[in-house]
Amino acid sequence: MDPANTGDARGTAPDSHPAHAPRTTAPPTAAPRTTAPATTGPATTLLAAPDLPARFPADAHRILDALVRDGAALGWVDPPSPAEVAALLDDVRAAARAGDAALRAAYDGDRLLGLGYWLRYARPTHRPHADLEKLAVAADAHGRGVGRALAAALVADARAAGIEVLTLDARGDNDSALGLYRSLGFTEYGRLPRFVAVGERRYDKVFCMLDLRTRPAR
């Protein structure tokens, strides 16, 4: 299967650890600043947290708002407000500056196509590890490999930051996301049946992990 055509994750980690959870500011190793954007294909560029434009929070809100309205599993039942998204991203960017997070955004020119981030665990005994909390791609950019490019870049950032195990959780009906993560080496390590409540509907919560203590396959 062509890796660029395996589909894009519409959302992950619907019930992940709160993005505003306190984290210490002395990580074992800090994620390196990206000094040159990575390219993922024609007209698509990945930027890291230090290089994002001022309009990024507003553009991210538009993507997240539209996806949640369409039923994507991104942690909200009702669409988030612009202020809520801006506060969330401020916290992630602050954590990234401290080496406790990585934030990536995909652009086609100046148009935001998608975003994703991981956060280091706050609990002292879990500090070597991080959780991939959100990955979102605009609906009109699905099928372009944007989700795969974002996820792969975040995995590479985690490896460079010395993260030992990268975890995530996804809603059980999110087949495209789960397929994408499996193709990147994540394995399922647990499942809570009918745990996620969206109104009267119930979905499994699926837990996945990627052990970065082993060298990547060549």
Side-chain angles (χ1 to χ4, degrees):
M1 181 180 293
D2 181 356
N5 294 312
T6 55
D8 290 299
R10 296 178 60 208
T12 184
D15 298 286
S16 292
H17 316 285
H20 302 289
R23 285 172 167 81
T24 61
T25 57
T29 52
R33 185 185 191 278
T34 299
T35 56
T39 58
T40 69
T44 305
T45 301
L46 292 183
L47 298 181
D51 306 309
L52 296 172
R55 59 184 286 183
F56 170 67
D59 291 340
H61 172 260
R62 281 192 285 273
I63 288 177
L64 295 170
D65 178 88
L67 289 173
V68 173
R69 289 181 187 278
D70 195 39
L74 284 164
W76 292 283
V77 174
D78 298 315
S81 69
E84 184 178 358
V85 171
L88 167 67
L89 294 175
D90 281 347
D91 283 355
V92 175
R93 293 168 94 166
R97 288 192 295 272
D100 287 343
L103 172 64
R104 287 281 184 167
Y107 282 88
D108 182 350
D110 63 355
R111 185 170 75 93
L112 181 65
L113 302 179
L115 64 145
Y117 65 86
W118 56 254
L119 286 165
R120 194 184 293 272
Y121 280 92
R123 185 179 299 180
T125 54
H126 294 176
R127 290 288 293 162
H129 317 301
D131 194 60
L132 200 166
E133 296 201 359
K134 289 205 192 317
L135 185 68
V137 175
D140 60 359
H142 290 175
R144 294 177 52 174
V146 177
R148 168 173 288 276
L150 285 167
L154 289 167
V155 168
D157 291 341
R159 195 181 294 277
I163 297 299
E164 294 182 8
V165 177
L166 186 62
T167 63
L168 62 88
D169 62 74
R171 209 166 73 186
D173 67 327
N174 200 343
D175 294 332
S176 62
L178 290 168
L180 168 62
Y181 298 132
R182 281 193 296 268
S183 73
L184 292 172
F186 284 84
T187 57
E188 181 178 333
Y189 68 89
R191 181 180 291 249
L192 292 173
R194 296 175 53 80
F195 187 82
V196 180
V198 182
E200 296 300 315
R201 299 186 299 276
R202 298 292 182 270
Y203 303 94
D204 291 357
K205 182 174 182 177
V206 182
F207 299 91
C208 301
M209 56 86 70
L210 178 64
D211 193 334
L212 297 174
R213 291 169 290 195
T214 58
R215 299 183 66 85
R218 297 197 176 193

